[in-house]
Amino acid sequence: MTYNFKDGEVLCFNKPLGWTSFKVVGHVRYHLCRRLHIKKFKVGHAGTLDPLATGVIIVCTGKATKRIEEFQMHTKEYVATIRLGATTPSFDLEHEIDAHYPTEHITLELINKALEQFVGKIQQVPPTFSACNVNGKRAYELARSGKDVELKAKEIEIKEIELLEHNLTGDCPYIKIRVVCSKGTYIRSLARDLGVALHSGAHLTALERTRVGDFRITDCIDPLKFKDWLENQTIIEEQEN
């Protein structure tokens, strides 16, 4: 294929575990600058993924960065693994477990009924450890400095929830679900709220974003192979008008 990155291209990457969204952008910018023999280049992403999440992240270059807001509004799909019976302050594995709860009463029927409660337009409180803006600062910055953070509930829409897998035995009972949702949905908050709905506790142990709009995980480039991928593409290198 032929690409004109300066004029504007839209690419999707499979963000590796542990990488920030900013690191993906920086990695792409670095290799594009080397390939195009330039020092500066406009590159941005359309929708943050937590470092502990993997999956689809859309990266726009050049004039296509004007489309970032458009892509941010697209419906997203996730596959989430949620441990039952334990909570963490961040609702995921960023922090250690801070409390344990009974799970003996949890049945498949109870899980399915609880999941049904979250389908549709609902009010959701974002995690304290999140990038939400609080008086000009990120909520996670305030939380990590030990300050109390109060976040207001926001309306989000969960269009589909599907139970893919469950194991209610052993010391670490869990479920795996597929979620199709709107912009602004925090799957970590969904895990927290699901634990409450099950009269227990829960937190996220794995998260993969499998789709953003029409961009699917199967379409994604591995960032670690981006340099090699670039070498195999035909690239137009003239300057923007």
mmCIF file of all heavy atoms in Angstrom, residues 25-35:
data_model
loop_
_atom_site.group_PDB
_atom_site.id
_atom_site.type_symbol
_atom_site.label_atom_id
_atom_site.label_comp_id
_atom_site.label_asym_id
_atom_site.label_seq_id
_atom_site.Cartn_x
_atom_site.Cartn_y
_atom_site.Cartn_z
ATOM 1 N N VAL A 25 2.367 6.291 20.906
ATOM 2 C CA VAL A 25 2.479 7.471 20.038
ATOM 3 C C VAL A 25 3.941 7.858 19.844
ATOM 4 O O VAL A 25 4.393 8.141 18.725
ATOM 5 C CB VAL A 25 1.677 8.656 20.618
ATOM 6 C CG1 VAL A 25 1.992 9.953 19.869
ATOM 7 C CG2 VAL A 25 0.188 8.365 20.549
ATOM 8 N N GLY A 26 4.709 7.874 20.928
ATOM 9 C CA GLY A 26 6.117 8.237 20.846
ATOM 10 C C GLY A 26 6.910 7.255 19.989
ATOM 11 O O GLY A 26 7.796 7.652 19.216
ATOM 12 N N HIS A 27 6.589 5.985 20.114
ATOM 13 C CA HIS A 27 7.250 4.934 19.340
ATOM 14 C C HIS A 27 6.963 5.117 17.855
ATOM 15 O O HIS A 27 7.877 5.044 17.020
ATOM 16 C CB HIS A 27 6.734 3.576 19.827
ATOM 17 C CG HIS A 27 7.378 2.399 19.188
ATOM 18 N ND1 HIS A 27 8.620 1.929 19.568
ATOM 19 C CD2 HIS A 27 6.943 1.568 18.193
ATOM 20 C CE1 HIS A 27 8.923 0.877 18.842
ATOM 21 N NE2 HIS A 27 7.935 0.637 17.994
ATOM 22 N N VAL A 28 5.705 5.376 17.522
ATOM 23 C CA VAL A 28 5.311 5.581 16.132
ATOM 24 C C VAL A 28 5.967 6.839 15.576
ATOM 25 O O VAL A 28 6.516 6.841 14.461
ATOM 26 C CB VAL A 28 3.776 5.673 16.012
ATOM 27 C CG1 VAL A 28 3.363 6.086 14.599
ATOM 28 C CG2 VAL A 28 3.130 4.335 16.381
ATOM 29 N N ARG A 29 5.933 7.932 16.344
ATOM 30 C CA ARG A 29 6.532 9.191 15.896
ATOM 31 C C ARG A 29 8.040 9.015 15.634
ATOM 32 O O ARG A 29 8.574 9.517 14.633
ATOM 33 C CB ARG A 29 6.306 10.288 16.938
ATOM 34 C CG ARG A 29 6.854 11.642 16.506
ATOM 35 C CD ARG A 29 6.782 12.674 17.602
ATOM 36 N NE ARG A 29 5.421 13.047 17.929
ATOM 37 C CZ ARG A 29 4.818 12.759 19.081
ATOM 38 N NH1 ARG A 29 5.479 12.081 20.027
ATOM 39 N NH2 ARG A 29 3.584 13.139 19.313
ATOM 40 N N TYR A 30 8.712 8.330 16.538
ATOM 41 C CA TYR A 30 10.167 8.129 16.405
ATOM 42 C C TYR A 30 10.512 7.443 15.081
ATOM 43 O O TYR A 30 11.381 7.904 14.331
ATOM 44 C CB TYR A 30 10.677 7.302 17.585
ATOM 45 C CG TYR A 30 12.119 6.876 17.459
ATOM 46 C CD1 TYR A 30 13.158 7.762 17.723
ATOM 47 C CD2 TYR A 30 12.435 5.576 17.058
ATOM 48 C CE1 TYR A 30 14.487 7.376 17.604
ATOM 49 C CE2 TYR A 30 13.757 5.181 16.934
ATOM 50 C CZ TYR A 30 14.777 6.078 17.202
ATOM 51 O OH TYR A 30 16.084 5.688 17.065
ATOM 52 N N HIS A 31 9.826 6.344 14.793
ATOM 53 C CA HIS A 31 10.146 5.581 13.582
ATOM 54 C C HIS A 31 9.695 6.307 12.321
ATOM 55 O O HIS A 31 10.358 6.218 11.276
ATOM 56 C CB HIS A 31 9.546 4.184 13.667
ATOM 57 C CG HIS A 31 10.274 3.288 14.621
ATOM 58 N ND1 HIS A 31 11.559 2.863 14.388
ATOM 59 C CD2 HIS A 31 9.903 2.768 15.822
ATOM 60 C CE1 HIS A 31 11.963 2.106 15.400
ATOM 61 N NE2 HIS A 31 10.985 2.043 16.277
ATOM 62 N N LEU A 32 8.605 7.069 12.393
ATOM 63 C CA LEU A 32 8.176 7.854 11.240
ATOM 64 C C LEU A 32 9.182 8.975 10.950
ATOM 65 O O LEU A 32 9.514 9.243 9.789
ATOM 66 C CB LEU A 32 6.787 8.438 11.472
ATOM 67 C CG LEU A 32 5.607 7.473 11.293
ATOM 68 C CD1 LEU A 32 4.301 8.171 11.671
ATOM 69 C CD2 LEU A 32 5.529 6.954 9.864
ATOM 70 N N CYS A 33 9.651 9.640 11.989
ATOM 71 C CA CYS A 33 10.633 10.717 11.791
ATOM 72 C C CYS A 33 11.911 10.180 11.153
ATOM 73 O O CYS A 33 12.483 10.817 10.264
ATOM 74 C CB CYS A 33 10.954 11.392 13.124
ATOM 75 S SG CYS A 33 9.659 12.511 13.723
ATOM 76 N N ARG A 34 12.337 9.019 11.598
ATOM 77 C CA ARG A 34 13.548 8.419 11.017
ATOM 78 C C ARG A 34 13.311 8.036 9.556
ATOM 79 O O ARG A 34 14.168 8.247 8.702
ATOM 80 C CB ARG A 34 13.969 7.193 11.832
ATOM 81 C CG ARG A 34 14.600 7.541 13.169
ATOM 82 C CD ARG A 34 14.934 6.299 13.962
ATOM 83 N NE ARG A 34 15.930 5.477 13.291
ATOM 84 C CZ ARG A 34 17.246 5.601 13.433
ATOM 85 N NH1 ARG A 34 17.732 6.549 14.225
ATOM 86 N NH2 ARG A 34 18.081 4.808 12.793
ATOM 87 N N ARG A 35 12.130 7.472 9.306
ATOM 88 C CA ARG A 35 11.821 7.019 7.936
ATOM 89 C C ARG A 35 11.634 8.199 6.990
ATOM 90 O O ARG A 35 12.012 8.140 5.811
ATOM 91 C CB ARG A 35 10.565 6.150 7.965
ATOM 92 C CG ARG A 35 10.102 5.654 6.607
ATOM 93 C CD ARG A 35 11.077 4.663 6.013
ATOM 94 N NE ARG A 35 10.558 4.107 4.783
ATOM 95 C CZ ARG A 35 10.562 4.726 3.597
ATOM 96 N NH1 ARG A 35 11.075 5.939 3.503
ATOM 97 N NH2 ARG A 35 10.074 4.141 2.517
#
